[in-house]
Amino acid sequence: MNSSLSLWLTRVLVLTQLIHGALSWGKEGHYTVCKIAESYFEEETVAAVKKLLPESAQGDLASVCSWPDEIKHHWQWRWTSPLHYVDTPDYRCNYQYCRDCHDTHKHQDRCVTGAIFNYTMQLMSGSENSRRIVHYNLTEALMFLSHYIGDVHQPLHVGFLGDEGGNTITVRWYRRKTNLHHVWDNMIIESALKTYYNKSLPLMIQALQANLTHGWSNDVPSWESCQLNQTACPNSYASESISLACKYAYRNATPGTTLGDEYFLSRLPIVEKRLAQGGIRLAATLNRIFSSQPKLAEA
Ligand SMILES: *[C@@H]1O[C@H](CO)[C@@H](O)[C@H](O)[C@H]1NC(C)=O
Ligand SMILES: *[C@@H]1O[C@H](CO)[C@@H](O)[C@H](O)[C@H]1NC(C)=O
Ligand SMILES: *[C@@H]1O[C@H](CO)[C@@H](O)[C@H](O)[C@H]1NC(C)=O
Ligand SMILES: *[C@@H]1O[C@H](CO)[C@@H](O)[C@H](O)[C@H]1NC(C)=O
Ligand SMILES: *[C@@H]1O[C@H](CO)[C@@H](O)[C@H](O)[C@H]1NC(C)=O
Ligand SMILES: [Zn+2]
């Protein structure tokens, strides 16, 4: 390729990444969730996912897990914007599907948990009976489901309506002016990469995976399980998120606050655990959808 053209392409890519990086559980967060999930796929899930992935993914689910953020501002996809989050009434630290899962026009089911149920159902209908004609685009369903399971684990994607999940709470992250939502989507992860992982995302993912097989190994079965034999259980993830938002995200982060070491060091473990849980639960959900043989209980 002509070198000035490729330089220009690089600039455009970097620019779009900068813009998109500012939008949702950042690119790094979604990549991490999906990368962790991949290592917990059962054999049939690996095959089914590979079949559904778009060519651009080159066989790697993690590479397309930010796709729903990249498209959500294009006019033909604008209807998907409310599907990235759910808001609770101000200062309510609990979540209720019927009360909270709607968009600003009060259309029921138009929120992140509704979207997770929707795309799970679509993928189930495609895998249960492959002879039935499926009207859904299951490639899109897979990318949406993988992304939204990540989003629902970001505590401020289940935040208060009045501050738009922290988006209107202006704070400083060390010396940089930003907002609280962005701190949880991106800044905590970026600071962790700089401080602990030599700016290397693969190193951070490795550390989380090591923790999953050691420190967190006893918790993994309970993270995977879904009450009442459901295929997907986003409601419990949303309840956890709003509870964490109240306990950690909003606390000591009123408008105008400067957040530094104290906030960073106490909140980073929460972010790391949510990324790991998101990965485990995405894998568990896709395994329930695609792997027909139920795994025998370990005990
Ligand atoms: C479910 O998915 C379809 C296909 O993307 C979409 O048209 C519909 O609006 C979605 N519904 C909800 C509640 O997310
Ligand atoms: C399914 O969705 C993907 C991503 O939007 C698109 O590239 C592909 O053309 C769609 N497939 C069909 C059959 O419409
Ligand atoms: C950190 O990353 C740089 C390249 O980005 C590499 O040259 C260096 O060896 C790494 N340091 C450690 C301690 O891994
Ligand atoms: C869950 O599934 C198991 C095995 O299929 C069944 O024995 C059990 O009764 C189910 N539990 C509920 C609450 O549906
Ligand atoms: C690993 O797990 C321990 C115990 O839960 C936790 O304190 C630590 O922050 C975790 N480390 C990483 C990198 O997630
Ligand atoms: Zn999102």
Side-chain angles (χ1 to χ4, degrees):
M1 192 189 294
N2 172 320
S3 71
S4 67
L5 176 60
S6 72
L7 185 64
W8 177 81
L9 274 175
T10 310
R11 285 200 187 125
V12 170
L13 268 174
V14 168
L15 192 67
T16 36
Q17 282 183 354
L18 281 177
I19 295 168
H20 290 143
L23 297 176
S24 172
W25 201 217
K27 252 188 136 61
E28 287 90 358
H30 283 291
Y31 187 87
T32 301
V33 165
C34 287
K35 206 71 199 169
I36 288 173
E38 284 174 25
S39 57
Y40 286 82
F41 285 174
E42 283 160 28
E43 215 171 295
E44 287 165 287
T45 308
V46 172
V49 166
K50 196 155 262 175
K51 238 164 101 183
L52 289 177
L53 282 177
E55 210 153 309
S56 62
Q58 300 191 298
D60 184 23
L61 176 64
S63 70
V64 291
C65 282
S66 290
W67 174 79
D69 278 338
E70 287 157 18
I71 58 156
K72 73 184 177 193
H73 295 286
H74 301 180
W75 64 268
Q76 72 271 43
W77 291 107
R78 196 148 311 146
W79 61 272
T80 63
S81 293
L83 305 184
H84 292 255
Y85 59 87
V86 58
D87 291 321
T88 69
D90 290 356
Y91 314 118
R92 285 296 175 85
C93 296
N94 68 354
Y95 151 90
Q96 289 170 13
Y97 187 90
C98 295
R99 184 191 67 194
D100 303 329
C101 191
H102 51 72
D103 63 12
T104 48
H105 307 293
K106 295 274 169 195
H107 294 134
Q108 264 302 316
D109 307 322
R110 309 216 67 83
C111 84
V112 65
T113 44
I116 290 171
F117 284 124
N118 186 28
Y119 291 110
T120 301
M121 182 275 291
Q122 292 184 15
L123 290 168
M124 288 290 280
S125 73
S127 81
E128 266 167 6
N129 187 349
S130 51
R131 258 166 238 202
R132 235 185 66 195
I133 298 163
V134 172
H135 301 281
Y136 310 113
N137 183 325
L138 298 183
T139 298
E140 288 176 359
L142 174 67
M143 296 193 288
F144 280 128
L145 180 64
S146 303
H147 180 90
Y148 295 141
I149 289 188
D151 275 346
V152 76
H153 280 82
Q154 204 277 57
L156 285 177
H157 276 242
V158 191
F160 302 143
L161 191 61
D163 58 46
E164 296 170 21
N167 271 298
T168 64
I169 301 181
T170 304
V171 295
R172 270 178 202 281
W173 181 248
Y174 293 89
R175 299 168 74 172
R176 250 175 92 180
K177 203 169 165 187
T178 180
N179 69 64
L180 190 60
H181 187 90
H182 190 62
V183 164
W184 281 77
D185 270 349
N186 298 270
M187 308 298 249
I188 295 176
I189 295 175
E190 279 168 25
S191 294
L193 288 173
K194 274 186 216 150
T195 311
Y196 300 112
Y197 301 109
N198 196 19
K199 301 190 184 162
S200 158
L201 187 58
L203 279 183
M204 187 179 94
I205 294 170
Q206 251 176 44
L208 294 173
Q209 281 170 328
N211 238 8
L212 281 167
T213 52
H214 296 106
W216 289 325
S217 58
N218 289 331
D219 302 325
V220 169
S222 71
W223 294 355
E224 284 173 332
S225 76
C226 214
Q227 65 284 53
L228 304 171
N229 293 346
Q230 290 177 81
T231 309
C233 43
N235 287 333
S236 46
Y237 314 152
S239 295
E240 293 167 357
S241 274
I242 183 63
S243 164
L244 293 168
C246 288
K247 204 165 162 198
Y248 296 102
Y250 285 122
R251 184 158 295 171
N252 297 331
T254 48
T257 315
T258 295
L259 305 174
D261 282 347
E262 196 182 318
Y263 193 91
F264 172 53
L265 295 172
S266 53
R267 273 54 169 187
L268 176 58
I270 310 297
V271 168
E272 291 181 323
K273 187 171 170 184
R274 293 306 273 168
L275 293 171
Q277 287 179 321
I280 292 292
R281 283 149 169 187
L282 172 57
T285 306
L286 293 177
N287 285 336
R288 283 190 285 264
I289 294 170
F290 294 122
S291 293
S292 48
Q293 276 180 316
K295 213 168 70 179
L296 287 174
E298 252 133 74

